[in-house]
Amino acid sequence: MYDVSARARAMLAVLLTTFFLGSPAHAQSDKLRANAPDDWLITNATVITVTGETLENTDILVRDGTIDEIGSDLSAPGGTETYDASGMFVMPGIIDAHSHIAVSSVNEATAPVTAEVGVGDVINPYDVNLYRALAGGVTTSHLMHGSANVIGGRNETIKHRYGQTDPDALRMDGAPRTIKFALGENPTRVHGEGNDVVPRTRMGVERVIRDALTKARRYAAEKEAYENGDAPAPPPHSEKMEVLADILAGEVLVQCHSYRADEILMLMQVFDDFGVENFTFHHVNEGFKVAPELAKHNAGASVFSDWWAYKFEVYYSTAYNAAILTDNGVTTSINSDSPELNRHLYHEAAKAQKYGGLTDQEALSLITINPAKQLGIDDRVGSIEVGKDADLAIFDAHPLSVYAVAQRTYVDGVVRFDRENDPDDMRLRLDPEASVESAFDWSETGTRHGRCLQDVGRYSSQGTTFWQSGR
Amino acid sequence: MPIRFFSYLLLLFFIAGPVADAAHGQKRPGRQGTYALTNARIVPVTSSAIENGTVLVRSDTIAALGTDVTVPSDAEVIDASGLTVYPGLFDGGTRLGLVEVGSLDETRDFSEIGELTPQMKALTAVNPNSVNIPVTRVNGVTTVLTAPTGGLFPGTAALIDLHGYTPSQMHQSGVELIVLDFPSTGRRGRWDQRSNEEIEKAAKKAMDKLNETWDEAELYARIDSARAATDRSTQDMEYVPAMNALAGVVKGDMPLLVRASKAADIEAALEWADERGLTDQIVLSGAAEGWRVAEKIADANVPVIAGPVLSVPTRDSDRYDKPYRNAALLHDAGVQVALRTGDAENVRNLPFHAGFAAAYGMSKDDALAAITIEPARIFGVDDRLGSLEVGKQANLFVTDGDPFETKTKVRHLFIQGYKIPMESRHTKLYNEFLNRNPGVQE
């Protein structure tokens, strides 16, 4: 008896230990929202679905982090938390297709082709910019390698699960792999001018891409020959070639930093020749000049609303870019490339109404369903539809109004930003060693935008010029 | 007759069109005259809004304004039914006109070599034909302070209207301010990897340099004044350009624009100005952490050109919306506040900086004042600018809605009474490429 009872107690202890070290251990890695519910009933809102009609006085039932029901007078199982969103506007969580926040390094600026690296290896979940973005309704960001290299590193699509301290917990599982390409001034300056290696011109940029893809095609063919028994040995393993071959196989989506119309046409021709489909041009300030060609290739365009003239290749720009692209049938998004713009992409999207008169739905598509399509995640996010992830942003006014203030942001049904209840200091990690917290005073430096060339200065012969002007 | 009329129109189309196009190089010029904006909602800013009123612009001046204005027979009438007239927007801190393409040194004329270059004049480098200027003004911004940067005393800032073919035609009321970039103890960005000690050391060195320079400037000015009062007044002083420029501030003839953003730097700047007897002459610019020391700024009675509003917090621990709320918090503490974008190519976003300030706690009226009458008062030009009043300069714009709302469009624009064409590189590219011809090659 005694023995049995002791054994039972021991087993119970093991079970309890497993329980506390098991599921709560996962919760403990969420420093802000551990055990927060992912079931919600949001009531009486104006629901901007983006892909469908805008619904007045509507409820959304969220269960297990997923949109379960949309309708009026919905009822929820007892105990489900309710948020009365009367007078408020619910829109899909905003998606930033181009960001460099929450990574501890941006550029592997050592060679024109670095497909073997990826920013997924350097995710920094402690970056408070993740939270600041949530406070602007952003739920998904595409963290990109920088623009120093013609073929840069792989990117990572994350959700803003701010509070999670395990970097892997931020990844959006199932999101397609993507890679950064860069055309024009940045790679020619870093490599051609800075280090005296090709490319120094836009001719060189094309050759770097064609040569890399040709090698990758041969690599893939040699591998296939070995697998089919037609060759005695596989090619020596190359991580770089593996990634490039996957681009050719359509498994890695190309996201290409670009500005001028000629280089945009060039890359589309290269991709035609190599059979690469489904790619998106970023920045693409001269996209408006070749909008019909972009539409014909079904290429995406991810633009700034109004940034221009910060370098020569964006001098012949227009803030009407997004509208011209949209009106020509190009799947267009507006991205930030900046922790500052990232916080008010809803306002950046609204500028497409000032510049080109897009409808509410077209303007909001620029920061929701369209970037989702470009990143291959539109089956999960980018609109408010039953079955999609409950990534939602709630504003106190129409989000295209300058007066809109985000009130709550949900990621997978979990409240990750709450204007009413969050304390002032939302940092996850405090450094007891730091004597005085850094205050940033960059306002006169002209460097507050863009991080595409971060980490490059120290490698290049032109040093600080890159810091001060690169995007 | 209809046919003849039609032919006449056709003739106008074929001749006047190309002729008008050929007559200008980069932009269609503005035109002065007598204009009556009728049936308008009028927001004078310094008094309450007027419904169904008329604004009469004659030459460069607002000649009449109100509900009982008689429209003279020679006036060109612009029916502004459903539209609203506002005074031109005023950006209190930019680099507009001093840089054309941000990354190209050849076009960056805002930063001269040297720590002490107060003798450099921004007005000299203002390019009246910069493509950035039409891009900016078609959004309602009519007047900006454009300022140099770099070093301790980078030069003089100039107040300019965004119309004119020479810098002096643009120059507003002769306003210039000596700029002081107060020694900063903040980091210049994420890439600034200096240790706290290195930053402190650099700031201390800059502070010593500032004090040493100011001692010299005071001495220089004293000798100069003494010399002027003697019978040797015809003899020239040794020519020291920097001292010559600073003497204007030392003697109290010229204002000093002090840029500082970190709280400790703002406090240090206020103390420095107090010790030097300059408090009445200084205008604080930037002041990102102004909210932290708002009471002290208010006590010193120093006006602030705050901004950019659209920016990230200076510290990781600060609440995310502090930059949006800074202007409101300063205003609530009793500080006189105007706004700035701190930008060059996107000064056009000034109304959105004000809009965000309004969304996050400033009243809409105060936010509008912060980009119209308040900067005019701070720079001492409120007799000419900043509101719609009879006798004031005709800098105004007409919108189809709230000027802060993103989708609002500006319909008409007047600067110095010139009716400015609503076009810029951006509108021209839109018109050319929206429906490109030829389209895609089949």
Side-chain angles (χ1 to χ4, degrees), chain B residues 152-389:
Chain B
L152 262 182
F153 287 103
T156 54
L159 196 62
I160 55 171
D161 283 330
L162 299 186
H163 178 69
Y165 286 94
T166 67
S168 62
Q169 286 174 352
M170 301 170 76
H171 198 192
Q172 177 56 244
S173 303
V175 173
E176 286 185 287
L177 299 90
I178 295 267
V179 179
L180 166 60
D181 273 318
F182 202 80
S184 172
T185 53
R187 287 181 191 280
R188 302 310 253 176
R190 297 270 160 193
W191 57 87
D192 184 348
Q193 297 293 327
R194 293 176 298 167
S195 68
N196 286 340
E197 290 72 30
E198 286 172 308
I199 290 174
E200 290 294 333
K201 212 173 138 186
K204 168 87 170 52
K205 197 176 158 199
M207 201 62 226
D208 289 346
K209 182 75 182 169
L210 170 59
N211 280 321
E212 184 189 311
T213 303
W214 207 259
D215 285 343
E216 279 178 44
E218 285 175 339
L219 183 61
Y220 186 93
R222 211 159 53 233
I223 295 171
D224 189 44
S225 297
R227 182 193 54 82
T230 68
D231 53 4
R232 292 189 296 169
S233 61
T234 51
Q235 278 187 306
D236 282 340
M237 292 264 292
E238 185 189 347
Y239 181 56
V240 185
M243 293 300 136
N244 210 38
L246 293 178
V249 184
V250 173
K251 290 178 180 174
D253 301 334
M254 211 168 172
L256 184 66
L257 187 81
V258 180
R259 287 195 295 230
S261 274
K262 200 178 159 183
D265 300 341
I266 294 171
E267 284 188 271
L270 293 176
E271 279 168 29
W272 179 84
D274 185 43
E275 285 164 15
R276 299 287 177 174
L278 295 167
T279 303
D280 292 345
Q281 272 168 271
I282 68 167
V283 175
L284 204 55
S285 175
E289 292 193 352
W291 60 273
R292 277 205 153 84
V293 289
E295 298 293 340
K296 286 189 172 152
I297 301 172
D299 288 348
N301 203 22
V302 167
V304 173
I305 315 286
V309 177
L310 290 163
S311 58
V312 290
T314 49
R315 306 183 195 198
D316 284 353
S317 60
D318 285 340
R319 191 171 164 85
Y320 72 96
D321 60 1
K322 274 298 188 309
Y324 303 153
R325 292 181 49 71
N326 186 31
L329 294 171
L330 284 165
H331 183 268
D332 291 349
V335 177
Q336 184 180 14
V337 184
L339 296 178
R340 67 165 202 177
T341 62
D343 214 320
E345 67 271 12
N346 272 340
V347 172
R348 59 180 165 183
N349 286 335
L350 180 65
F352 306 142
H353 288 256
F356 266 73
Y360 285 84
M362 209 174 190
S363 77
K364 289 184 191 181
D365 287 346
D366 289 337
L368 182 60
I371 56 172
T372 53
I373 193 65
E374 290 305 339
R377 285 174 181 149
I378 290 170
F379 295 118
V381 291
D382 51 314
D383 58 329
R384 305 276 302 139
L385 300 175
S387 63
L388 299 177
E389 293 176 58

Side-chain angles (χ1 to χ4, degrees), chain B residues 75-86:
Chain B
E76 184 176 321
V77 176
I78 298 167
D79 182 7
S81 301
L83 306 178
T84 308
V85 188
Y86 294 92

Side-chain angles (χ1 to χ4, degrees), chain A residues 26 30 215 219 268 353 367 433:
Chain A
H26 181 66
D30 191 334
K215 285 177 190 167
Y219 179 87
M268 288 196 289
Q353 302 199 297
I367 52 169
E433 298 293 313

